[in-house]
Amino acid sequence: MSASPRIAVVDFGAGNLRSVAKALERSGMNPDVTADPAAVNRADGVVLPGVGAFADAVASLAKSGLDDAVRDRLAARRPYLGLCLGLQVLFDEGDEHGVTPGLGVLPGRVERFPDQTPDGEQLRVPHIGWNTVKFSGDHPMLSRLPDEDCFYFVHSYRAIPNRASDVVGRVDYGGEFAAAVAREGMFAVQFHPEKSQSAGRRLLDAYAFWVSGS
Amino acid sequence: MLLKRIIPCLDVDKGRVVKGVKYVDHVDAGDPVEVAQMYDAQEADEITFLDITASHEGRGILLDVVTRTAETVFMPLTVGGGVRSLADIRDLLNAGADKVSIMTAAVENPDLVGEAAVKIGSANLVVAIDARARSDGDGWEVCTHGGRRPTGIDAVEWAAKMAQLGAGEILLTSMDCDGTKGGYALEMLRAVSDAVSIPVIASGGGGSADDLAQALDDGPAGGHSQAALAASIFHFHETTVPDVKRRLLELGIPVRKPSPAAG
């Protein structure tokens, strides 16, 4: 494989993807921001970024046939990196502005943070800022990441996976939740590595290494 | 745990960084992209651009500045100033802003906040509030148009209403303290922070690390805010972000520890 893996950055209309593409470039990858399912199929790796609402994201992916392209890539176990909404859409359903089915690749739901912590203290929602993620589990990405690192979050909804074995990164905000999920050929994070300075770079460097070795 | 944030703020006029005292006497402080790169290297937790350009053609310049910043600086960027409509918010997000801040438009058309929260998401929507103490000492009043126009609206009630309509964060600037470097308006900050269940960014008056510590302190005399914004103390190299953070850590305020590379 070439030194510079080709990465399809899936563009389904969810805001600016330039900073994601530039951050991938910085880690030695060759990003192609695309809405073409064929380009998603051809690439060495697929990055699904995105901010915005769950239902809109799933609808946009379905409209352009990108949902099937992403599912095919996941089924083929080619390196997929989901960022923020790119983690959330993997699950069975989300409850942002009404219950909407997701891609159904991982069992679980995406729900709004509760208003209170388990101890009954007020929880400010959205969860905005830098928080420490603890990584654990078995995935090629994890061998190149520290045991914990601080990343930037900005979200009101978070995934609640049914299977603890799918969770490889945990963070505490009103109780522990899944900051990173993974399976063979898949790694997805709730935070924004493209906005997380040196910690973000470490994660994207790990992705570049994983893609190059797959 | 979620850490408290230190946010350098760049007032941008016609594509240049400026910072005045009490909103007059602007002094040129550089190219916004270069200044943003400097704060990225210092590991600031976010940066904020507040566009103070009055003219319409200034929008194009601002969008260009945001685009160039987002392409070179891998940190969170909030942009505000002159944002009037859903289209303005979309333009800024598409140019690379992570969060967009609205102020006067929210006062003139509060429904814009609700609409933007549904269409764009609360997490990316900041409502900025400029407020000053009422002359009779009875609370604080919201001002618009760069602090020049008092509205008669109570700042605490307004913040609660904005949160209820779907704002994801409040950027609260004290017009009494702004530019003075005499410390944040702690009483007002505390009143607003305690009245809402969204994050609050303290702004106006930050002159030292200890001032920022007070704004971020959750104790009975603190400002109870989740982030502190400051401008002049950073722009004119009186101190650096890592120096401020080291002092905050000494004072027991949880912030992201500067790496050796941050200086």
Side-chain angles (χ1 to χ4, degrees):
Chain A
M1 184 173 289
S2 76
S4 184
R6 290 169 308 145
I7 308 296
V9 180
V10 183
D11 180 4
F12 56 98
N16 170 61
L17 303 182
R18 261 196 304 258
S19 48
V20 172
K22 288 283 170 184
L24 294 170
E25 264 176 34
R26 186 180 58 156
S27 288
M29 291 174 270
N30 180 14
D32 173 25
V33 177
T34 181
D36 176 11
V40 170
N41 256 305
R42 280 195 306 270
D44 300 318
V46 174
V47 174
L48 185 66
V51 294
F54 185 93
D56 289 352
V58 175
S60 309
L61 285 168
K63 198 174 163 190
S64 47
L66 287 163
D67 56 344
D68 285 336
V70 167
R71 276 200 197 90
D72 289 349
R73 297 291 300 198
L74 285 164
R77 298 190 160 76
R78 304 297 298 159
Y80 169 96
L81 179 64
L83 309 178
C84 193
L85 216 44
L87 174 147
Q88 295 185 359
V89 296
L90 296 172
F91 287 87
D92 289 330
E93 60 181 28
D95 74 356
E96 190 168 358
H97 311 308
V99 176
T100 314
L103 296 181
V105 179
L106 295 177
R109 303 189 81 238
V110 176
E111 296 176 1
R112 193 174 188 277
F113 280 103
D115 296 329
Q116 291 191 335
T117 68
D119 303 334
E121 283 176 35
Q122 178 200 49
L123 187 68
R124 292 180 195 267
V125 181
H127 173 221
I128 299 180
W130 296 79
N131 206 332
T132 304
V133 176
K134 294 189 166 105
F135 293 110
S136 64
D138 185 24
H139 190 275
M141 291 276 288
L142 296 177
S143 63
R144 303 189 69 84
L145 293 176
D147 291 342
E148 57 177 63
D149 226 343
C150 208
F151 294 96
Y152 187 77
F153 291 81
V154 49
H155 61 126
S156 303
Y157 291 77
R158 84 284 192 238
I160 303 176
N162 289 354
R163 292 187 195 167
S165 59
D166 289 335
V167 181
V168 294
R170 292 173 172 82
V171 65
D172 180 18
Y173 193 64
E176 211 172 60
F177 74 90
V181 295
R183 280 190 180 179
E184 189 184 349
M186 172 208 297
F187 198 91
V189 296
Q190 178 59 62
F191 50 83
H192 291 272
E194 78 281 12
K195 297 290 172 182
S196 296
Q197 294 173 335
S198 54
R201 173 154 195 180
R202 280 189 282 279
L203 188 131
L204 295 177
D205 285 352
Y207 180 59
F209 188 83
W210 178 35
V211 176
S212 299
S214 292
Chain B
M1 72 184 301
L2 180 64
L3 299 169
K4 304 261 183 173
R5 287 166 282 153
I6 305 306
I7 309 175
C9 176
L10 285 58
D11 283 359
V12 178
D13 184 21
K14 301 184 193 72
R16 298 288 295 178
V17 181
V18 294
K19 180 62 198 178
V21 177
K22 294 221 176 194
Y23 278 56
V24 289
D25 297 334
H26 292 118
V27 180
D28 193 288
D31 172 52
V33 180
E34 284 174 19
V35 177
Q37 286 169 341
M38 178 185 79
Y39 291 130
D40 186 29
Q42 291 186 11
E43 297 175 1
D45 298 313
E46 293 179 8
I47 43 170
T48 292
F49 287 173
L50 284 184
D51 185 49
I52 57 171
T53 313
S55 63
H56 178 68
E57 52 271 27
R59 294 316 284 179
I61 300 171
L62 179 73
L63 290 172
D64 177 61
V65 165
V66 171
T67 302
R68 289 189 292 124
T69 305
E71 284 180 351
T72 55
V73 173
F74 300 101
M75 66 183 297
L77 170 64
T78 301
V79 184
V83 178
R84 312 293 301 181
S85 65
L86 206 54
D88 287 346
I89 297 172
R90 285 223 166 94
D91 285 349
L92 287 167
L93 291 173
N94 286 335
D98 299 291
K99 294 186 280 182
V100 173
S101 159
I102 63 175
M103 183 170 70
T104 301
V107 174
E108 291 175 352
N109 175 21
D111 290 342
L112 176 63
V113 176
E115 195 185 355
V118 171
K119 298 222 166 115
I120 285 148
S122 291
N124 309 95
L125 183 65
V126 182
V127 170
I129 300 175
D130 283 358
R132 63 159 54 109
R134 290 190 199 272
S135 50
D136 60 6
D138 184 22
W140 305 271
E141 146 175 59
V142 177
C143 305
T144 58
H145 298 82
R148 292 185 302 276
R149 198 174 296 179
T151 62
I153 301 169
D154 179 77
V156 177
E157 286 172 15
W158 181 244
K161 182 178 177 184
M162 292 295 99
Q164 192 206 349
L165 282 174
E169 201 167 30
I170 298 287
L171 167 56
L172 180 64
T173 303
S174 162
M175 303 313 299
D176 300 313
C177 300
D178 192 61
T180 65
K181 295 200 270 184
Y184 294 87
L186 296 177
E187 201 188 334
M188 177 173 81
L189 263 178
R190 196 162 54 236
V192 168
S193 294
D194 292 355
V196 298
S197 61
I198 59 176
V200 174
I201 304 168
S203 163
S208 69
D210 289 50
D211 290 342
L212 274 75
Q214 285 186 322
L216 298 169
D217 185 4
D218 290 325
H224 301 185
S225 64
Q226 283 64 54
L229 185 135
S232 8
I233 58 163
F234 296 130
H235 298 334
F236 297 109
H237 309 289
E238 290 167 26
T239 185
T240 65
V241 175
D243 280 346
V244 165
K245 286 189 173 181
R246 278 187 280 267
R247 175 67 182 150
L248 291 173
L249 288 166
E250 277 174 15
L251 293 169
I253 305 289
V255 290
R256 199 162 48 116
K257 201 178 159 194
S259 75

